[in-house]
Amino acid sequence: MTSLPIIEEQVATTPEEAAPATTRKRRTAEPQERGIISHADRRRPLVQYGLPVIEVLLFIGVVVAGVGPLLWLLKSGLSTSQDILRGPMQLWPSGIQWQNIPNAWNQVQIGSYLGNTAIIAIGSLISTLFVCTTGAFVLSVLRPKWGPVITGAVLATLFLPGVISLVPLYLTILKMPVLGFNLQNTFWAVWLPQAAGAFNILVMKRYFDAIPRELIEAARIDGASNLRLFTALILPMSKPIIGVVALLTVIGSWKDYLWPLLVLPDPKMQPISVALPRVAQTTEISLQMSALFLAVLIPVVLFLVFQKQFLRGVGMSGGIKE
C-alpha cells in the first residue's frame, strides 16, 4: 500500500522536472537566438563599448549616403547661382532664396512637364497591370498547352539587353504593323512598350502559382467563369504583388529618359526627365537645382507613403501569407 504514492509520483514527474537543477538552469539561461558574437565576447569591455559605436557610425553613414544628396539638392535649390559655384558645401552665405521654387515652377515650366510625367506614369501603370495580370492569369491559372512555350519565350527576353531591341521597337513605333499608324509624339508610344515587361509578367505568374489550386477548383465547381475567377478570386488575393508592380512601374516610368527622348521629340509632350537637360542650357543653375529637387521629391514621397505595402509585397512575392 505504501508503494502506490511512490509510483504515482514517478509517473507524474516530467523529464524537465527529473533533470538536475544545473541542467534546467543552463536551458533557461541559453539564449533563443544566436549571433556571430557570443555572450562571453559581449561581456568584454572592448566589445561592450565598441559595438554600439560601430553601429551608430554605420547608421550615420547610411543616412548620409541616402539622405545627403537630397539635402544638398534642397540646399542648392534655395541658394543663388554664385553661392553654388563658389561654395557648394556652404549653408546659404547669401541667405535662403525661397523665390527659386516658384520661379522654377513658372520660368522652367515644371508644372507642365510634371503633368506630362504624371500622364505617362498613370498610362504606363494601367497598361502594365492589364498586360501582366491577364498574361499571368492565362499562364498560371488557365494553363493552356502552349503555356510553357510562351513562358520560355517571355523568360528568354530577359537575357537580351535593352539596346538590342531599341531600334526594332523604334521602327515599330514609326509604323505599326498591319495598322500602319505612326505613334511618334503620342503617349501610346511610351505606354505600349512599357506594358510588355517580361519581368512583371513572370513575377505576377510566380505569385499566381502560389495560390492554392483547391481554391480555384472550388470556384470552378461553384460555377465561376474565367472572368469571374479572375476578378473575384485571383485579383483580391494578389493585392500585395499588384502594389509592388504598380510602385515599380510608376518609379521606372518617372525616371525613364532614353525612350521618351526618342519617341517624344515635341517639347510640349516631354516628361520632366527629358525636359530638364534640354532647358539646362538656358536656365540658371539655381533654378535647375530647384527644378531637380521638385522632380526628385515626388517619387521619394511616393515611396515613403507606400513603403509598408511595398516591403510587405516583396516579402510575400514568393507565396501567400498564412
Side-chain angles (χ1 to χ4, degrees):
M1 298 296 293
T2 57
S3 60
L4 288 177
I6 299 176
I7 295 175
E8 292 177 358
E9 183 179 357
Q10 292 177 354
V11 172
T13 302
T14 61
E16 295 181 356
E17 296 175 353
T22 56
T23 305
R24 294 198 302 268
K25 184 177 180 180
R26 190 183 304 113
R27 289 177 181 175
T28 56
E30 186 177 0
Q32 298 295 331
E33 297 181 359
R34 297 181 179 180
I36 59 176
I37 301 177
S38 63
H39 281 262
D41 293 334
R42 290 180 182 272
R43 297 189 187 98
R44 298 179 180 178
L46 182 61
V47 178
Q48 186 177 4
Y49 297 103
L51 187 60
V53 175
I54 295 176
E55 293 176 351
V56 171
L57 292 177
L58 289 176
F59 176 75
I60 294 175
V62 171
V63 171
V64 171
V67 187
L70 188 61
L71 294 178
W72 183 87
L73 190 61
L74 174 61
K75 191 272 300 182
S76 301
L78 298 177
S79 303
T80 61
S81 301
Q82 292 77 12
D83 292 341
I84 297 174
L85 296 176
R86 288 181 300 183
M89 302 306 296
Q90 297 180 3
L91 294 177
W92 301 292
S94 302
I96 301 178
Q97 308 296 322
W98 295 106
Q99 68 275 10
N100 286 353
I101 294 180
N103 290 339
W105 186 273
N106 298 323
Q107 297 180 16
V108 190
Q109 297 180 353
I110 294 299
S112 176
Y113 298 137
L114 285 177
N116 294 336
T117 309
I119 294 174
I120 292 175
I122 295 174
S124 300
L125 172 62
I126 296 174
S127 59
T128 299
L129 290 181
F130 177 78
V131 172
C132 68
T133 53
T134 54
F137 177 77
V138 172
L139 297 176
S140 177
V141 179
L142 300 184
R143 295 182 179 180
K145 295 182 179 179
W146 41 266
V149 178
I150 300 298
T151 303
V154 172
L155 181 61
T157 58
L158 294 178
F159 296 93
L160 297 176
V163 181
I164 295 179
S165 60
L166 192 62
V167 174
L169 190 59
Y170 180 71
L171 296 177
T172 303
I173 292 299
L174 292 181
K175 186 176 181 181
M176 292 290 294
V178 180
L179 300 178
F181 294 155
N182 184 1
L183 298 180
Q184 195 175 24
N185 280 327
T186 62
F187 292 125
W188 290 102
V190 184
W191 294 342
L192 295 180
Q194 182 72 25
F199 176 78
N200 294 330
I201 295 176
L202 294 176
V203 169
M204 195 75 66
K205 177 184 178 300
R206 183 187 177 190
Y207 194 93
F208 288 178
D209 290 338
I211 297 178
R213 298 295 298 183
E214 292 80 5
L215 297 177
I216 300 175
E217 296 301 330
R220 292 187 183 278
I221 292 175
D222 291 340
S225 61
N226 291 333
L227 181 60
R228 178 73 174 176
L229 183 65
F230 177 68
T231 57
L233 179 63
I234 301 299
L235 290 183
M237 297 185 66
S238 305
K239 290 181 179 179
I241 195 63
I242 292 176
V244 172
V245 173
L247 186 59
L248 293 177
T249 301
V250 170
I251 294 178
S253 62
W254 195 277
K255 65 181 182 180
D256 194 10
Y257 172 75
L258 181 58
W259 183 248
L261 177 64
L262 294 176
V263 299
L264 297 176
D266 188 2
K268 295 181 180 180
M269 303 193 65
Q270 290 178 347
I272 194 169
S273 59
V274 179
L276 285 181
R278 179 177 54 82
V279 302
Q281 301 176 358
T282 58
T283 308
E284 296 183 8
I285 298 179
S286 59
L287 297 183
Q288 295 180 29
M289 295 296 105
S290 300
L292 285 173
F293 177 76
L294 293 175
V296 173
L297 184 62
I298 294 179
V300 170
V301 172
L302 186 66
F303 176 79
L304 292 177
V305 171
F306 296 101
Q307 63 175 336
K308 184 177 180 180
Q309 291 79 2
F310 177 76
L311 297 177
R312 184 193 304 172
V314 171
M316 297 174 61
S317 60
I320 298 178
K321 186 176 181 180
E322 297 292 335

